Amino acid sequence: MHLQPVEVQKEIVVLGAGVIGLTTAIVLQEKGGYRVTIIADAFHGDVRNSRYTSDWAGAHHVTLSGEDIRLQKIDKETFEYMWELSEPGKGLAEGCFLRLKQEELFEDGYGDEAVLNYYPNIRTLPTVNLKAGAARGIEFETLTIDVPLYLSYLQARFLAKGGSISRGTVQHIGQILEAGPYIFHYDHQRRNFLARKVPVDGLIICAGLGARSLGGVEDRDVYSARGQTVILRAPWVRTGRTLTGKDWTYIIPRRSGDVVVGGVKEPNDWYPLPRPETRMDILRRGLALYPELAPPEVREKREPTVDDLVPLIVEDACGLRPSRKGGLRLEAKCVQAKDGRTVPLVFNYGHGGHGYISSWGSAFSVLEMLTEELKR
Ligand SMILES: Cc1cc2nc3c(=O)[nH]c(=O)nc-3n(C[C@H](O)[C@H](O)[C@H](O)COP(=O)(O)OP(=O)(O)OC[C@H]3O[C@@H](n4cnc5c(N)ncnc54)[C@H](O)[C@@H]3O)c2cc1C
């Protein structure tokens, strides 16, 4: 009798469980056929904190790629994949998205609408339709992401296909390279950690801001760009709008009926809590840009004021965007493990304010790089 040789799946560890780690893990698992373990010290579902930026995003898909050609491709791939996921009646995750009309408005001397050309039904806005001091504007279709639902969806999709999740703080990448994916598994019988030592075949770093202090990476180009938003309950708002200029103001309605009003981008500011004075500034700018934020019954009677928005507040949100001088780090190299094996290390972090916008395209690049490195 001939026994078929069993093909042993390669063991891959993804460090980080934010939108980047989760999306990367799914692509490696589903398209690459690898056995994937996610290791992280913060997850969606924990009490929200500043080590997990993904919980705090708006989030909409409006590319921030500028002239970066690599990022333009990544963002477009992500949009196409999310468009499929959100397809009415067919999309695997339709309920996590809201397809909507988006207006992008620009003050004189700001912005570049040319890079937005792939969004469906794009058109230049007539000057009479411009608001809040904008000099020009365009309108197109895109989608917003209901962040809490979508992160749960990604986690569930990964686990349902056999992925493993493990909680722990990695101090140095050498810890995983030596001990493997089960470093934080606890063996209850032996009352000890490290129940099983399994060699790791590839390590993917999706640590967001953590890449700054993670031993073996210690990327000093990574810094926080603080963001703050106000989430309103305003289900009557069903279109998005951004004004780019001296300030940056955006309105992101979610499918749930919540509306995220932002924002600020404060480089090298690590303060993890909402500031009350910023809340009022955001509401003032938000109302000027989008007076329909106020309840219809108020607008029928009089000009709305910021006070009309206060009763609609669900929460103040604040997150630290994992930004990086020089932009996103998406590259591979090989390192030597303690046992002498050469292990591919792939970096996928530094997405700043575009982690959702670039998530699937970045993950596809990781798959290509990892597969290439494993062939060597
Ligand atoms: C207010 C605001 C609005 C935003 N709006 C948008 C938007 O509209 N569209 C968009 O695309 N993006 C938006 N963003 C940006 C987006 O949230 C980020 O780009 C994205 O969440 C980054 O994801 P990440 O997975 O890289 O990082 P994170 O979500 O921070 O995840 C990092 C992971 O790494 C783990 N980790 C790090 N170091 C270690 C370690 N040493 N050991 C173990 N685990 C470790 C953490 O536990 C965590 O699981 C917004 C952000 C903010 C703050």
Side-chain angles (χ1 to χ4, degrees):
M1 186 174 88
H2 287 291
L3 289 176
Q4 290 286 342
V6 180
E7 206 187 312
V8 180
Q9 276 181 303
K10 298 247 186 254
E11 288 279 352
I12 307 299
V13 170
V14 172
L15 201 170
V19 66
I20 298 301
L22 289 169
T23 313
T24 304
I26 289 172
V27 169
L28 297 181
Q29 180 188 51
E30 293 184 11
K31 285 189 181 283
Y34 300 116
R35 234 199 86 66
V36 183
T37 302
I38 297 177
I39 297 181
D41 57 10
F43 289 88
H44 173 63
D46 292 355
V47 174
R48 289 173 298 165
N49 64 77
S50 59
R51 285 187 62 79
Y52 191 91
T53 309
S54 299
D55 269 340
W56 302 108
H60 61 189
H61 198 296
V62 178
T63 181
L64 300 172
S65 63
E67 288 172 2
D68 183 334
I69 290 168
R70 178 184 67 158
L71 203 53
Q72 286 170 8
K73 177 173 173 283
I74 285 172
D75 289 2
K76 185 163 182 281
E77 283 173 353
T78 305
F79 178 70
E80 285 166 359
Y81 193 78
M82 285 184 166
W83 199 248
E84 254 178 68
L85 283 178
S86 65
E87 188 177 345
K90 282 196 188 153
L92 283 179
E94 184 192 346
C96 301
F97 296 96
L98 175 68
R99 287 186 176 192
L100 80 179
K101 269 204 179 124
Q102 173 75 19
E103 287 181 7
E104 287 291 304
L105 309 179
F106 305 95
E107 287 175 9
D108 209 11
Y110 289 91
D112 174 12
E113 54 271 56
V115 294
L116 302 166
N117 60 11
Y118 57 79
Y119 290 101
N121 298 320
I122 190 157
R123 69 173 189 116
T124 302
L125 283 172
T127 318
V128 286
N129 289 14
L130 298 177
K131 303 179 179 74
R136 49 186 219 288
I138 54 171
E139 181 189 73
F140 52 88
E141 279 174 55
T142 186
L143 47 83
T144 68
I145 302 137
D146 207 321
V147 162
L149 274 185
Y150 183 64
L151 291 169
S152 300
Y153 160 75
L154 292 178
Q155 269 185 17
R157 177 165 159 180
F158 174 68
L159 290 172
K161 298 247 166 83
S164 308
I165 279 183
S166 187
R167 185 186 292 271
T169 300
V170 179
Q171 290 158 303
H172 194 286
I173 56 167
Q175 296 175 327
I176 296 177
L177 292 174
E178 184 171 351
Y182 304 108
I183 181 168
F184 296 113
H185 278 211
Y186 191 74
D187 183 332
H188 287 274
Q189 270 181 348
R190 292 190 202 144
R191 299 202 180 157
N192 208 346
F193 282 98
L194 198 53
R196 252 187 327 140
K197 195 167 175 177
V198 173
V200 63
D201 297 302
L203 174 58
I204 322 295
I205 310 295
C206 303
L209 272 183
R212 189 179 160 89
S213 52
L214 173 64
V217 177
E218 290 150 320
D219 186 340
R220 305 306 284 176
D221 286 337
V222 172
Y223 65 94
S224 154
R226 183 179 174 279
Q228 183 171 330
T229 58
V230 187
I231 303 185
L232 304 179
R233 185 78 192 149
W236 51 87
V237 174
R238 274 313 183 236
T239 60
R241 190 174 295 155
T242 309
L243 176 64
T244 304
K246 195 169 60 59
D247 295 312
W248 181 44
T249 309
Y250 54 82
I251 311 295
I252 303 181
R254 290 177 175 169
R255 193 184 182 98
S256 64
D258 287 350
V259 179
V260 181
V261 186
V264 290
K265 196 182 270 178
E266 297 167 324
N268 295 309
D269 187 339
W270 293 77
Y271 187 65
L273 303 174
R275 294 189 177 110
E277 64 276 19
T278 308
R279 168 204 256 204
M280 292 320 283
D281 178 48
I282 288 172
L283 288 181
R284 184 187 49 72
R285 284 189 276 128
L287 188 66
L289 177 62
Y290 204 116
E292 304 88 334
L293 280 177
E297 60 277 15
V298 171
R299 278 180 281 126
E300 268 164 29
K301 287 193 217 125
R302 56 176 170 79
E303 281 281 296
T305 69
V306 168
D307 290 341
D308 295 312
L309 302 186
V310 174
L312 310 178
I313 295 176
V314 176
E315 70 170 338
D316 297 287
C318 174
L320 307 180
R321 300 181 184 91
S323 300
R324 184 170 178 267
K325 280 183 221 150
L328 163 65
R329 185 171 187 198
L330 196 50
E331 62 189 35
K333 70 173 194 183
C334 280
V335 286
Q336 279 238 299
K338 194 95 174 158
D339 59 6
R341 288 174 319 112
T342 302
V343 180
L345 189 61
V346 187
F347 304 96
N348 185 14
Y349 63 80
H351 292 76
H354 56 94
Y356 286 83
I357 295 169
S358 310
S359 51
W360 291 96
S362 306
F364 298 150
S365 297
V366 169
L367 174 62
E368 267 174 41
M369 288 187 283
L370 177 68
T371 309
E372 207 46 49
E373 291 296 331
L374 286 171
K375 277 192 209 148
R376 284 173 201 264

